[in-house]
Amino acid sequence: MPQLSRDWGVPQESAARATTVFAVAYAWGSLAGGPLSDRYGRRTILAGTVAAMAVATALVPLATGLPWASAARALQGLTAGSFVPMSYASLSERVPERLPLALTTVHAAGGASAVVSQIEGQVLGSALGWRAVFLVSAPLLAVGALALRRILLPGTVGTPGRDAAGEGGLRVLRSARLLPLLVIVVPLLGSLTAIYTVVQLYGPADLVGDPGAMLGLRASALPAMVLAAPRARPFPPAAAGRRLTHSAPNSR
């Protein structure tokens, strides 16, 4: 945040808005990813959004001020958000017999990446400046997009069943029954970003301005991701998720 504030000529609190913009766009991308992949195919949308995220990531360090940086971060969040729900949908189709293990693995990897990427960003930012974080990440995302395109099996696109599933997913998004779930999920998932941002900006005093202490704080969350994930597999899914799915007759 101090580096962004200095380069963009804004207070640190204002620089933090770029992270908020990313988080809001991520939420919208998460909602849209499932229906889009129902209609156009998992591999096409998964590989396409990761490729688009690589482009958006490369645009962030080119921004000369907060407005342009926020726009690039919004595009980055929009494309990043659709990855997790589409990967869940793909796994449910490809490995239904091992779905609990597959979903747990993806979810644990996603949670761990939130910690690992912050550590990576802090190390690169301290050594090479904040722009290096994005310039290193962009080509890695491009490689990931190519890997997805090569590894994932092509799905059937344009069939009546898949189109109906896409329409059903859009009806779920428009349903008033989804609003309470969104109200709950936003503060729940947003707290991860908010906690680290508030601590970095406002304290405790031992953490403000001490990259090593922040690095230790972020790294301390990683063991929990690794240890807790295998223990979550035996638990059955909540009935609430099934009820939400049944609210749209043609959805999956």
Side-chain angles (χ1 to χ4, degrees), residues 44-90:
T44 299
I45 301 300
L46 272 168
T49 53
V50 174
M53 184 163 52
V55 174
T57 300
L59 291 176
V60 176
L62 301 179
T64 56
L66 182 60
W68 285 108
S70 297
R73 288 286 280 163
L75 178 60
Q76 193 186 32
L78 190 67
T79 53
S82 58
F83 182 84
V84 171
M86 286 191 291
S87 64
Y88 287 170
S90 179

Side-chain angles (χ1 to χ4, degrees), residues 19-234:
T19 302
T20 303
V21 167
F22 174 92
V24 173
Y26 185 99
W28 283 107
S30 298
L31 291 174
L36 285 175
S37 67
D38 278 335
R39 173 155 297 192
Y40 299 108
R42 313 290 185 216
R43 186 176 72 169
T44 299
I45 301 300
L46 272 168
T49 53
V50 174
M53 184 163 52
V55 174
T57 300
L59 291 176
V60 176
L62 301 179
T64 56
L66 182 60
W68 285 108
S70 297
R73 288 286 280 163
L75 178 60
Q76 193 186 32
L78 190 67
T79 53
S82 58
F83 182 84
V84 171
M86 286 191 291
S87 64
Y88 287 170
S90 179
L91 290 171
S92 67
E93 294 171 351
R94 299 299 184 185
V95 287
E97 69 284 353
R98 307 198 67 184
L99 188 59
L101 174 60
L103 294 182
T104 301
T105 302
V106 171
H107 190 72
S113 72
V115 180
V116 172
S117 61
Q118 290 185 13
I119 296 173
E120 173 204 357
Q122 186 169 332
V123 171
L124 286 174
S126 298
L128 303 173
W130 69 268
R131 288 182 172 84
V133 179
F134 296 90
L135 294 175
V136 169
S137 299
L140 293 177
L141 287 167
V143 171
L146 292 174
L148 285 169
R149 184 70 184 175
R150 182 176 181 84
I151 293 171
L152 292 179
L153 296 174
T156 304
V157 181
T159 63
R162 184 173 291 280
D163 288 344
E167 292 297 330
L170 292 174
R171 279 197 293 273
V172 170
L173 296 184
R174 293 193 294 264
S175 172
R177 298 179 63 184
L178 190 65
L179 183 60
L181 181 61
L182 296 179
V183 172
I184 295 171
V185 167
V186 167
L188 178 66
L189 298 181
S191 63
L192 176 65
T193 299
I195 288 173
Y196 284 119
T197 302
V198 170
V199 166
Q200 186 176 8
L201 292 177
Y202 302 111
D206 294 341
L207 294 174
V208 176
D210 187 343
M214 284 298 301
L215 189 65
L217 176 65
R218 288 168 171 145
S220 67
L222 194 56
M225 300 292 180
V226 176
L227 296 175
R231 290 165 175 76
R233 283 186 295 160

